[in-house]
Amino acid sequence: MIGVAIAGTGFGQKVHIPAFQAHPRTEVVAVYHRDINKAKAIAQSHNIPHACDTLADIVALPEVQAVSISTPPFLHYEMAKTVLEAGKHLLLEKPIALNANEAKELYHLAKQKSVIATVDFEFRFVPGWQLFAELLSAKYVGELRLIRIDWLGSSRADASRPWNWYSDKEKGGGALGSLGSHAFDYIHWLFGPVRKLSAYLTTAIPARIDPTNQESKPVNTDDNCILTLELADSTPCQVTISAVVHAPRTHWIEVYGDRGTLVIGSENQKDYIHGFRVWGSQTGKPLAEIEIPNRLIFPNNYADGRISAFIRVIDQWVQGIDQNQQTIPSLQEGVYSQLLMDLSHKSHETSSWVDVPSLESYLES
């Protein structure tokens, strides 16, 4: 059994704790919260032996071999650094840092300490997405000609939703960080690296009520992102991301090639993992749904699809720890996602196209 500590008790309580407790090879042995009383209450309610209010105390526990971090992004760098310096294995939520330089530092530190570090890019582990990836690899559509991605949600659509860290760019908030970080990873996974990009970011709701004083507070993060990418193989890719719209089709990817079309999409508003279906057509034939084979289906289906996918992330991580071999996705993939986010901000600020260096050259720079 691998003893795991949980740092981050929002998403951590909803997804990380139940997933680690369900996995046959991991045991949740400690939980961190900055308020020790809350840490103790969470530990008691989930039958976790240790509760701590500092990460230093967490990594000092001999039972803790690995730490899973799901705190807000502005805490990731320092927390991950503490975990890696202690020589503990790391599972980190995305985005992994506030900028690519921080992300790169974490990558090199994990390598230096010879620990297995992974990032929760869970779309790589969703059945429909795995089928989609297999079909693309088998050249179902032939040579790529155009990719269109829409990720449209309503999580921030309610203007009365209070101001929090998500409203603050300095804390890693915004739709580009929460959704774009995933999109950049799966674009890299499914279609390869990006050569250059252009980004336009907007804030639809410019102020929200600060719950500490009930006053209006400015929002300086994006809630709409329009991204145009040119892939390394010259394929154009158009990405539209929003956290403030009520759309019937929440997450949709269309891939067009010289031999056919592939589509993956979900209309599930409540759960961004469950509900994905795949359609395809080859030249001259109508679009038809392609059944997801049983070998890819989740063996246990949780009401919250994020748990189902996250258990597969844990699976891969555990295998890497067993074999002392870094798995994918790793911090390397986290660095690339962060680099593309940084360059998107640069593109928006300069109203220009921005060249994207290769991941290898960036990691060595």
Side-chain angles (χ1 to χ4, degrees):
M1 296 294 283
I2 296 168
V4 179
I6 305 294
T9 51
F11 191 72
Q13 274 197 92
K14 289 175 187 166
V15 175
H16 284 215
I17 290 175
F20 278 112
Q21 289 186 329
H23 196 279
R25 289 288 312 289
T26 55
E27 182 184 2
V28 181
V29 294
V31 65
Y32 158 85
H33 193 286
R34 66 184 182 277
D35 179 334
I36 191 61
N37 293 321
K38 286 185 179 174
K40 285 177 177 174
I42 292 162
Q44 189 175 1
S45 66
H46 294 281
N47 297 313
I48 299 168
H50 298 283
C52 303
D53 59 357
T54 74
L55 211 58
D57 289 342
I58 285 279
V59 297
L61 291 167
E63 304 97 314
V64 173
Q65 295 159 268
V67 180
S68 187
I69 298 175
S70 60
T71 53
F74 64 94
L75 298 171
H76 287 181
Y77 170 71
E78 289 297 344
M79 287 185 142
K81 206 171 164 184
T82 299
V83 171
L84 294 172
E85 283 173 342
K88 309 287 184 177
H89 302 296
L90 173 68
L91 197 157
L92 186 56
E93 278 297 332
K94 51 82 229 162
I96 65 171
L98 289 179
N99 58 64
N101 284 334
E102 286 183 353
K104 182 163 70 168
E105 190 182 331
L106 295 177
Y107 163 78
H108 286 300
L109 183 57
K111 212 171 173 185
Q112 178 195 326
K113 293 289 185 177
S114 298
V115 297
I116 306 305
T118 195
V119 182
D120 184 24
F121 287 131
E122 65 258 57
F123 287 100
R124 291 171 176 259
F125 301 92
V126 177
W129 288 73
Q130 292 179 327
L131 171 62
F132 193 66
E134 288 180 6
L135 291 166
L136 286 169
S137 294
K139 294 286 185 184
Y140 181 94
V141 300
E143 295 303 313
L144 296 179
R145 288 188 173 169
L146 176 67
I147 300 159
R148 290 187 52 192
I149 298 170
D150 288 328
W151 194 348
L152 309 173
S154 58
S155 63
R156 312 288 296 177
D158 183 354
S160 69
R161 184 168 179 173
W163 194 100
N164 65 358
W165 66 264
Y166 192 101
S167 308
D168 188 349
K169 187 179 176 184
E170 297 302 309
K171 287 185 161 54
L176 187 67
S178 66
L179 305 182
S181 55
H182 271 306
F184 282 141
D185 177 67
Y186 68 63
I187 289 167
H188 189 206
W189 164 48
L190 295 169
F191 309 114
V194 177
R195 181 184 291 157
K196 61 181 182 176
L197 61 79
S198 171
Y200 174 59
L201 313 175
T202 70
T203 306
I205 301 172
R208 293 181 184 270
I209 298 299
D210 185 341
T212 59
N213 58 18
Q214 300 306 308
E215 292 180 4
S216 180
K217 190 169 182 176
V219 172
N220 65 4
T221 52
D222 52 271
D223 37 37
N224 286 315
C225 315
I226 310 295
L227 309 164
T228 304
L229 316 177
E230 181 187 305
L231 303 186
D233 66 3
S234 299
T235 305
C237 176
Q238 183 70 44
V239 185
T240 306
I241 294 171
S242 180
V244 289
V245 296
H246 298 280
R249 302 193 321 173
T250 52
H251 200 169
W252 222 258
I253 302 177
E254 300 170 4
V255 181
Y256 300 94
D258 64 349
R259 283 177 43 208
T261 300
L262 270 176
V263 177
I264 183 168
S266 174
E267 295 165 349
N268 190 334
Q269 294 277 352
K270 302 283 184 190
D271 180 341
Y272 64 78
I273 296 297
H274 282 327
F276 280 101
R277 296 156 69 197
V278 178
W279 295 265
S281 70
Q282 292 184 312
T283 313
K285 295 180 181 175
L287 200 66
E289 187 167 356
I290 303 172
E291 189 178 352
I292 299 166
N294 284 333
R295 62 184 169 80
L296 298 179
I297 300 293
F298 292 126
N300 294 310
N301 233 349
Y302 290 81
D304 186 334
R306 298 173 301 178
I307 296 173
S308 309
F310 189 66
I311 286 174
R312 286 188 168 177
V313 176
I314 296 170
D315 250 345
Q316 187 123 320
W317 189 42
V318 167
Q319 284 176 38
I321 293 169
D322 284 348
Q323 297 161 13
N324 194 29
Q325 191 172 345
Q326 186 57 63
T327 58
I328 296 173
S330 67
L331 290 181
Q332 182 168 304
E333 284 68 38
V335 171
Y336 195 63
S337 171
Q338 187 67 57
L339 175 62
L340 292 174
M341 285 189 283
D342 287 9
L343 294 177
S344 296
H345 284 292
K346 182 181 176 183
S347 170
H348 172 72
E349 287 156 12
T350 58
S351 301
S352 64
W353 280 86
V354 175
D355 290 329
V356 180
S358 73
L359 178 56
E360 293 73 22
S361 64
Y362 180 72
L363 288 172
E364 289 167 10
S365 64

